[in-house]
Amino acid sequence: MDKQLQDLVKISNIVGVDSSLVQGGGGNTSVKSDDGKYMYIKASGTALKDMNSKRGWRRLKKDAVLDILADKSLAKMKVKARELAMVKRLLAAGDDNVRSNVRPSVECPMHAVLEECVIHLHAITVQAYTSAKNGKAEILRLFKNEPTPPLWIPYANPGFELGHKVFSLVSRYTKKYGRKPGVLFMQKHGLLVTADTAEGALRLVRKVIRRCRAGLGKAKRVNRPAVSKKQIEECKRNVARALFETTGAKTEVVFCLNPTIKRFLAEKNPGQMLRCGALTPDELAFLNGPILWLNDAKYETVEAKIRKALKTDQSRPTAFVIRNVGLFIATEPALVPVARDVATGSLFVRRNARNMGGINALTGKQRDFIKKWEAEQFRVQLAAKGLNAKKSPRR
Ligand SMILES: [Zn+2]
């Protein structure tokens, strides 16, 4: 096995087992060859923790990937056609013995413009800043003593537009500071780090997470009243029945409670933090919109709330937080672990972002793009088939 592939599998497995860094098949990694001709990159839909020497990656010709960003005709195409053309071009850039229909990560172009080793994570500690109104100012303050500052990437639609934005901001940064940025914060999305070695990239991840966590302050221990089995069963029954009555879907409902959820429930006005829409593309894709807040679990309350959500632009809700009880997930069994991790992450991010000038959720336009985006639907379909939804550890 090539040293680069070895490094890719190693870093992917290390960061991939931590559901506070990536959830389900989210996040991606890449390592370039010494001669700069090739890049190994995670395949779309595979979880980082499940990558090994045989599966979960592609080797691409780096120049063919950079050509995509330079192609002016792509920039002029309509969104749907352009994103499909980009997937085709990424598949055509493949130079390996992997089945030719295994897609390289669609976030590939932004990897091509960075250093040898790249790690991209949907780390909730970072998202607390990237989804906060004052997040950028807080990040610049936290890293103000570094020789060169981190780079803040304003939100861009994933795929081609994000690749372009990273490319142009990295070029500008390189001109100004004489080197590429090592740490990039992606608004409403996550973290991107890059270094010339795998160890260097992992070190950067640890450093950033440590500093961001310290900036959030120590989370207090909270004591919540015990929830009875009877209460949980009643909530599950009412959510399942209301979903069936409103959408015709028969779904098993799973109860979750952990310290992050307890802390959220103990906040002042927790329901208010769920009023804004989905925070990130993952939340929209795996939870079908924001988590629904329920003041109580009476059947009428649940049904009315689901009907209201369906009237807005939300498709069948997947996650519910019930006052003084906990989180309930209603989705296909293979998607439960990722939906649970994404929902728990969202509760963590919302609570912390509220203390940083307020929560900065996706706008209606940004949500519309994700809903129509073929690559995201593809990823959710793979996850639903259970390809990347093996048990992930509880946060
Ligand atoms: Zn991402």
Side-chain angles (χ1 to χ4, degrees):
M1 185 172 29
D2 284 9
K3 162 93 170 70
Q4 285 78 25
L5 180 55
Q6 226 169 6
D7 280 347
L8 182 80
V9 173
K10 189 177 114 188
I11 54 171
S12 302
N13 292 167
I14 289 175
V15 294
V17 290
D18 186 343
S19 65
S20 73
L21 297 180
V22 280
Q23 304 78 33
N28 39 62
T29 46
S30 68
V31 179
K32 297 176 187 78
S33 61
D34 287 340
D35 61 9
K37 280 190 184 158
Y38 299 100
M39 55 190 286
Y40 285 96
I41 184 147
K42 193 196 89 144
S44 181
T46 304
L48 286 166
K49 66 182 164 62
D50 295 334
M51 189 195 285
N52 59 39
S53 60
K54 303 231 160 46
R55 64 177 287 255
W57 51 268
R58 293 298 311 258
R59 189 177 81 155
L60 308 180
K61 287 175 267 182
K62 194 182 93 179
D63 282 349
V65 179
L66 287 173
D67 284 348
I68 298 174
L69 292 175
D71 189 333
K72 293 215 166 64
S73 69
L74 273 175
K76 284 182 199 144
M77 282 167 95
K78 285 224 167 89
V79 173
K80 208 168 176 182
R82 185 188 68 206
E83 296 302 314
L84 284 173
M86 190 166 131
V87 169
K88 262 194 194 159
R89 295 272 292 262
L90 287 176
L91 285 170
D95 188 345
D96 50 29
N97 294 322
V98 177
R99 261 189 305 126
S100 59
N101 63 347
V102 173
R103 285 190 194 184
S105 164
V106 77
E107 280 163 349
C108 199
M110 70 184 189
H111 285 249
V113 301
L114 295 169
E115 303 284 11
E116 280 78 356
C117 183
V118 182
I119 303 179
H120 164 54
L121 301 169
H122 297 165
I124 58 169
T125 320
V126 168
Q127 287 174 338
Y129 295 83
T130 55
S131 291
K133 290 191 174 143
N134 294 341
K136 183 181 176 185
E138 284 296 316
I139 287 294
L140 293 177
R141 192 181 60 79
L142 279 180
F143 291 85
K144 68 175 190 295
N145 292 330
E146 295 296 316
T148 50
L151 178 61
W152 180 267
I153 310 283
Y155 186 84
N157 290 325
F160 185 80
E161 287 175 41
L162 178 60
H164 245 276
K165 186 159 268 182
V166 172
F167 173 67
S168 64
L169 292 177
V170 166
S171 309
R172 207 188 298 165
Y173 184 103
T174 312
K175 259 187 216 147
K176 186 169 174 188
Y177 296 102
R179 53 157 294 180
K180 288 183 183 177
V183 181
L184 299 87
F185 288 89
M186 303 159 77
Q187 192 179 38
K188 305 182 194 180
H189 191 154
L191 173 68
L192 193 57
V193 306
T194 173
D196 50 13
T197 62
E199 285 71 27
L202 282 172
R203 255 198 314 274
L204 264 185
V205 168
R206 287 191 206 105
K207 178 177 158 181
V208 171
I209 299 297
R210 222 176 19 241
R211 197 161 302 174
C212 286
R213 193 178 291 143
L216 297 178
K218 229 181 159 152
K220 282 184 230 125
R221 265 183 81 93
V222 288
N223 288 316
R224 302 291 305 158
V227 189
S228 71
K229 265 195 178 158
K230 198 177 149 213
Q231 214 178 347
I232 295 167
E233 288 312 312
E234 192 193 340
C235 293
K236 281 189 188 175
R237 232 183 0 259
N238 286 345
V239 169
R241 189 179 141 212
L243 276 171
F244 179 70
E245 293 297 336
T246 51
T247 68
K250 279 190 181 167
T251 336
E252 206 190 314
V253 181
V254 178
F255 172 64
C256 320
L257 192 63
N258 59 27
T260 302
I261 301 167
K262 285 184 186 173
R263 251 174 236 125
F264 185 86
L265 291 172
E267 285 283 309
K268 247 190 200 169
N269 297 326
Q272 194 203 22
M273 285 186 276
L274 292 171
R275 260 186 222 148
C276 54
L279 303 184
T280 59
D282 265 7
E283 187 171 351
L284 195 59
F286 288 102
L287 304 185
N288 282 340
I291 302 161
L292 289 197
W293 169 258
L294 299 167
N295 264 322
D296 60 66
K298 283 187 207 128
Y299 176 76
E300 295 70 28
T301 312
V302 187
E303 196 204 282
K305 201 68 193 254
I306 295 175
R307 285 201 192 281
K308 200 174 157 200
L310 290 170
K311 262 192 204 157
T312 62
D313 60 351
Q314 183 162 3
S315 35
R316 178 162 60 88
T318 295
F320 305 81
V321 172
I322 302 180
R323 182 191 291 278
N324 291 333
V325 186
L327 171 70
F328 291 82
I329 301 288
T331 188
E332 293 100 286
L335 287 174
V336 168
V338 56
R340 179 200 64 211
D341 289 344
V342 169
T344 310
S346 175
L347 298 180
F348 175 89
V349 171
R350 284 168 195 268
R351 189 170 59 78
N352 285 290
R354 179 162 80 167
N355 299 331
M356 239 185 280
I359 301 165
N360 195 12
L362 294 173
T363 64
K365 235 178 162 182
Q366 291 163 351
R367 290 199 299 267
D368 282 347
F369 180 93
I370 307 289
K371 282 185 192 159
K372 290 181 196 142
W373 191 36
E374 192 266 349
E376 195 72 325
Q377 289 156 10
F378 174 78
R379 206 155 72 79
V380 175
Q381 278 162 20
L382 286 187
K385 282 184 197 155
L387 290 180
N388 63 10
K390 284 183 209 148
K391 269 201 170 146
S392 52
R394 273 175 185 276
R395 205 181 329 276

